[in-house]
């Protein structure tokens, strides 16, 4: 009888160990959530109205912008993005909101635009190397290509005119 009890506890320990190993390996596949930029408050963003607000009231309501327009300070941008990432994969955007507040030269709000995830584009590079014009040399041509060229006329570095 003690022999069967020992074999059951051994089998039970193996199942427990396998369950723990499975739980630990599945824990590594959890999704990571990320948030970047401005934290959007829909009530505050809806409160900005053209013709009523100015630059100062926008900064008091929404805070400092994520960034200002590139060609002047007549546009404020508030950017918010949420991403998800599975283990070691690249993060992918799940939601995004860009709020653009445009001002006239006097500093009054003339427009409020909102864009979302439809503006995100996926860029796929062409392989691991950048295509260039010119000679394509092999590894050995790079290493041994200059043998005999040192001191040759017209190449430079040689004893010309002596």
């Amino acid at each position: 009888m003690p022999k069967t009890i020992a074999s059951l506890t051994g089998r039970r320990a193996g199942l427990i160990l396998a369950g723990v190993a499975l739980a630990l390996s599945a824990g590594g596949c959890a999704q990571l959530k990320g948030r970047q930029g401005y934290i959007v408050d829909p009530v505050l963003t809806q409160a900005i109205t053209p013709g009523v607000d100015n630059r100062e009231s926008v900064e008091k309501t929404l805070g400092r912008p994520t960034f200002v327009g590139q060609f002047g300070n007549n546009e404020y941008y508030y950017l918010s993005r949420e991403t998800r990432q599975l283990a070691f994969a690249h993060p992918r955007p799940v939601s995004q909101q860009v709020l653009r507040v445009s001002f006239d030269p006097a500093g009054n709000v003339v427009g409020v635009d909102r864009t979302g995830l439809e503006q995100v584009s996926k860029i796929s590079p062409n392989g691991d190397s950048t295509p260039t014009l010119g000679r394509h040399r092999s590894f050995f041509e790079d290493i041994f290509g200059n043998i005999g060229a040192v001191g040759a006329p017209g190449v430079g570095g040689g004893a010309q005119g002596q």
Side-chain angles (χ1 to χ4, degrees):
M1 191 68 133
K3 196 175 206 181
T4 58
I5 293 173
S7 66
L8 285 177
T9 57
R11 188 177 301 154
R12 180 177 285 167
L15 287 174
I16 291 173
L17 184 64
V20 168
L22 180 66
L24 288 176
S25 65
C29 296
Q31 272 195 349
L32 301 174
K33 298 176 183 179
R35 178 181 292 266
Q36 293 117 12
Y38 180 73
I39 298 175
V40 176
D41 186 357
V43 174
L44 294 178
T45 57
Q46 294 293 331
I48 305 300
T49 53
V52 175
D53 288 311
N54 58 17
R55 191 178 317 250
E56 186 178 318
S57 67
V58 169
E59 286 185 14
K60 284 183 180 178
T61 304
L62 300 178
R64 292 182 54 194
T66 307
F67 57 92
V68 181
Q70 183 175 359
F71 300 110
N73 57 359
N74 288 336
E75 291 180 338
Y76 281 0
Y77 292 91
Y78 295 90
L79 173 68
S80 173
R81 176 185 266 189
E82 289 184 33
T83 59
R84 300 282 190 267
Q85 179 179 4
L86 185 63
F88 298 106
H90 294 291
R92 58 184 168 78
V94 175
S95 69
Q96 174 175 305
Q97 181 180 357
V98 178
L99 177 72
R100 182 181 75 169
V101 182
S102 302
F103 301 100
D104 63 3
N108 298 318
V109 176
V110 292
V112 178
D113 300 323
R114 290 171 182 82
T115 59
L117 202 56
E118 71 276 357
Q119 294 291 322
V120 176
S121 62
K122 183 175 178 168
I123 299 172
S124 179
N126 184 12
D128 291 338
S129 63
T130 304
T132 59
L133 300 174
R135 267 181 76 190
H136 296 286
R137 296 173 21 168
S138 70
F139 175 73
F140 292 109
E141 286 176 329
D142 280 339
I143 292 176
F144 301 114
N146 288 332
I147 294 178
V150 176
V155 178
Q160 295 176 346
Q162 289 184 8

